[in-house]
Structure formats: structure tokens, C-alpha cells
């Protein structure tokens, strides 16, 4: 009896696990800062204080640097998928008939990994923003909240709410402009006028904003260009960002960490045809992931509370 099992650990697993994580929309497009070689946890430091004064011949302390940090702790994650070879192999074999124009890997294992990676990326993307965050009330569960790890927004809600505005009811095309105005009006000084300040919103909220602009100008073409910014701040719409929430921040204040480039990741492909007789392949991946914000007071948020 022949057992067909492929095990990849450490750097050998990177070609299979990395696309599953790093192809998430937010990560692939640089909407947050990514640390890809974290082992369990790492410290994110902020530095403030210190001043410049006129030069003298003496040394006198005129201020000290204040250093603080927060921990980015990863959650242990896994993928357990079972795929019918009969169905997927036909798709792969048919694509191979196109030769160099196939658009799919020539190796069946890589094809399976690519198929699973697209689904894993969706889950990672969702949890970066909605993990343990219910966009209808700010709670940690229910609604469309993810369950894999704490998200950027759940970390923000758990904070002091220094620049947080809560509203009642879902966002509408008649209220989205007011929500944006509230967000910008409460920006921390560090973000005001900064060209690196981004406004994050869901794609549904972006469509509401587009409808608002198109109705006001009666010009959908002009609205298309205007909707990319609000009062000079670029609008970003990550695929996993929840509805009824607006966030203003710099990219370097939002972190996603993973161990994908360490020796602690693993991928396995188990073909059951030569073991149980079932025409199935089981795919297992093990990796870590998590998010953290560096400074809650350097962000602003408008969200739904009920």
C-alpha cells in the first residue's frame, strides 16, 4: 500500500502558507503595517518627548524621551480542508490543456494550495477588521464579527475612545456625509492635515458616499473622482472592513503580525486514495496571526452603537 503524504515545515511551507495570508486585501495593498516574522508576540513601541534648544557649552537636560509599548500577541490558527479530487482535478487537468496560458500551477499540490489560499485570505481579511467586533453595536460577538483573533476595531473599542463618536442606526446615503464630517471634526491633532491620514470604510459605505455625491452634483462621473477623497483625506475600502463604521488613522498605527516567515509554519497534503480509498485530499495548514494598534489616541472613529 502506498501512502501519499506531503509534509512541509518551516521555510519549505512558505510557498503554500504565505499566499494564504499575504494575499488578503488589506495586507496585499499595504492598508496596514505587516510584521511577517513574529514568534508568538512582539512589542510595538511609541516614543514621545524630547526637545531642541539653543546650543550652549554646558549639558543640561531639557526633556526626556517617553517610551511606551503595546504587545502584539498572535493567535494560533489552522486550516483543515477536505477536497474532492474528482471535481477539482478535472478543473486542473482541463486548465493544463491550455499550456502556458493555463493560468494555474502545473503542480497539482500547488493548485490545491492556491484554491485553499483564496478562501483563507478572505477569513484573514475579515478578521483583521471585524474579528470580535460587531458593527451593529460595538460588541465582541454576534452580527458579522469574526472569531479568529482580535481585530483593529475590537482593539480600538476596548481602548479609551479618545476620539470616538457613536451613532444610532445604519449608515444611509443621506447620513454618510454627516458621519464623515463627525469623523474629521474629531481628528486628533497628529492627523489633521497629514497627507498620510487615511479614512477607512466598508465598500457598502463607500457606495453610499458615492450615491450622496452623485445626487448632489447630478453627475456620476464627477462623483467617481470626488469619492476617492473627503476633505483632502484619501478614502480606503478594505474588503474586510465592516459596515456602519469609519476609521481615521495612519497606516503605521495599524499592525498585523504573523509567523509566516519563521520555522513555525506547516502545510500538509494527504491524498486518501491510497489509504482509505476515498477520492479526497486533506489539506492542513498551521500558522499564527493577530492585530494591534499602537496608539488609540492617534486615531478617530465613528461607529454604530445600536
Amino acid at each position: 500500500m502506498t501512502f501519499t503524504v506531503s509534509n512541509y515545515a518551516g521555510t519549505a511551507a512558505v510557498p503554500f502558507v504565505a499566499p494564504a495570508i499575504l494575499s488578503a486585501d488589506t495586507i496585499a495593498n499595504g492598508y496596514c503595517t505587516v510584521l511577517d516574522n513574529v514568534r508568538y508576540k512582539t512589542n510595538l513601541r511609541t516614543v514621545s518627548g524630547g526637545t531642541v534648544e539653543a546650543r550652549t557649552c554646558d549639558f543640561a537636560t531639557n526633556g526626556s524621551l517617553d517610551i511606551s509599548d503595546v504587545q502584539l500577541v498572535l493567535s494560533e490558527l489552522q486550516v483543515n480542508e477536505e477536497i474532492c479530487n474528482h471535481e477539482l482535478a478535472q478543473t486542473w487537468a482541463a486548465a493544463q490543456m491550455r499550456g502556458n496560458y493555463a493560468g494555474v500551477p502545473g503542480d497539482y499540490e500547488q493548485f490545491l494550495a492556491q484554491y485553499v489560499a483564496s478562501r483563507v485570505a478572505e477569513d484573514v481579511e475579515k478578521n483583521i477588521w471585524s474579528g470580535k467586533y460587531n458593527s451593529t453595536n460595538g460588541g465582541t460577538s454576534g452580527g458579522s464579527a469574526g472569531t479568529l483573533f482580535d481585530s483593529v476595531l475590537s482593539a480600538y473599542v476596548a481602548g479609551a475612545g479618545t476620539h470616538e463618536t457613536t451613532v444610532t442606526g445604519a449608515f444611509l446615503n443621506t447620513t454618510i456625509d454627516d458621519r464623515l464630517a463627525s469623523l474629521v471634526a474629531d481628528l486628533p491633532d497628529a492627523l489633521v492635515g497629514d497627507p498620510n491620514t487615511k479614512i477607512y470604510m466598508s465598500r457598502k459605505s463607500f457606495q453610499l458616499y458615492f450615491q450622496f455625491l452623485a445626487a448632489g452634483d447630478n453627475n456620476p462621473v464627477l462623483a467617481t473622482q470626488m469619492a476617492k477623497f473627503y476633505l483632502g483625506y484619501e478614502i480606503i475600502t478594505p474588503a474586510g472592513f465592516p459596515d456602519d463604521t469609519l476609521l481615521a488613522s495612519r497606516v503605521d498605527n495599524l499592525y498585523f503580525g504573523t509567523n509566516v516567515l519563521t520555522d513555525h509554519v506547516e502545510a500538509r497534503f494527504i491524498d486518501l486514495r491510497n489509504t482509505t480509498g476515498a477520492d479526497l485530499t486533506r489539506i492542513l495548514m498551521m500558522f499564527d496571526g493577530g492585530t494591534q494598534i499602537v496608539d488609540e489616541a492617534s486615531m478617530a472613529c465613528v461607529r454604530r452603537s445600536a
Side-chain angles (χ1 to χ4, degrees):
M1 180 179 292
T2 302
F3 291 84
T4 307
V5 179
S6 299
N7 291 328
Y8 303 91
T11 56
V14 170
F16 301 100
V17 180
I21 303 172
L22 303 182
S23 61
D25 184 57
T26 293
I27 299 172
N29 289 292
Y31 297 155
C32 69
T33 304
V34 179
L35 302 177
D36 49 21
N37 61 347
V38 178
R39 287 176 168 81
Y40 178 55
K41 63 182 178 180
T42 187
N43 289 342
L44 307 176
R45 291 182 173 84
T46 60
V47 180
S48 61
T51 59
V52 178
E53 64 177 8
R55 185 186 304 175
T56 66
C57 293
D58 297 324
F59 178 85
T61 302
N62 63 320
S64 60
L65 291 177
D66 296 323
I67 302 176
S68 60
D69 57 32
V70 294
Q71 281 194 337
L72 193 167
V73 181
L74 305 188
S75 297
E76 296 181 338
L77 307 172
Q78 67 180 22
V79 175
N80 289 337
E81 291 285 347
E82 192 171 76
I83 296 176
C84 177
N85 291 316
H86 175 70
E87 297 175 356
L88 204 58
Q90 287 184 342
T91 301
W92 174 75
Q96 294 305 305
M97 297 299 291
R98 300 183 63 193
N100 293 333
Y101 301 97
V104 298
D107 181 78
Y108 185 58
E109 278 190 357
Q110 291 182 352
F111 176 67
L112 291 176
Q114 185 182 79
Y115 176 80
V116 172
S118 62
R119 300 174 59 184
V120 174
E122 291 178 3
D123 284 342
V124 171
E125 171 66 19
K126 175 180 178 179
N127 280 271
I128 288 175
W129 300 107
S130 298
K132 301 181 182 179
Y133 173 76
N134 185 337
S135 62
T136 63
N137 56 22
T140 58
S141 63
S144 60
T147 59
L148 296 181
F149 49 82
D150 290 331
S151 65
V152 166
L153 289 167
S154 66
Y156 181 85
V157 172
T162 308
H163 298 279
E164 181 181 39
T165 302
T166 58
V167 297
T168 301
F171 290 6
L172 304 171
N173 61 350
T174 55
T175 63
I176 186 66
D177 186 56
D178 294 332
R179 305 293 182 249
L180 284 164
S182 297
L183 179 75
V184 173
D186 196 30
L187 287 179
D189 291 342
L191 296 185
V192 175
D194 187 342
N196 293 315
T197 298
K198 311 296 183 184
I199 295 178
Y200 296 81
M201 66 171 64
S202 73
R203 295 178 178 181
K204 178 181 177 181
S205 296
F206 183 74
Q207 179 62 24
L208 295 175
Y209 182 48
F210 180 85
Q211 293 173 8
F212 168 80
L213 293 173
D217 296 320
N218 197 27
N219 188 336
V221 176
L222 179 61
T224 300
Q225 299 302 317
M226 294 176 62
K228 297 177 181 179
F229 295 86
Y230 182 80
L231 297 181
Y233 299 109
E234 182 182 3
I235 293 177
I236 292 176
T237 57
F241 202 88
D243 297 333
D244 304 322
T245 304
L246 302 175
L247 182 72
S249 176
R250 290 170 52 104
V251 170
D252 58 12
N253 200 25
L254 313 174
Y255 276 80
F256 173 80
T258 179
N259 66 341
V260 70
L261 294 186
T262 71
D263 54 2
H264 294 167
V265 295
E266 187 173 348
R268 300 179 189 174
F269 299 84
I270 306 173
D271 189 341
L272 300 184
R273 286 175 292 187
N274 296 319
T275 55
T276 67
D279 193 12
L280 301 168
T281 295
R282 289 178 177 172
I283 301 176
L284 298 82
M285 295 182 182
M286 286 174 279
F287 56 91
D288 298 347
T291 66
Q292 184 58 279
I293 58 177
V294 180
D295 182 17
E296 173 273 335
S298 296
M299 307 164 64
C301 180
V302 174
R303 66 173 181 87
R304 181 179 174 183
S305 60

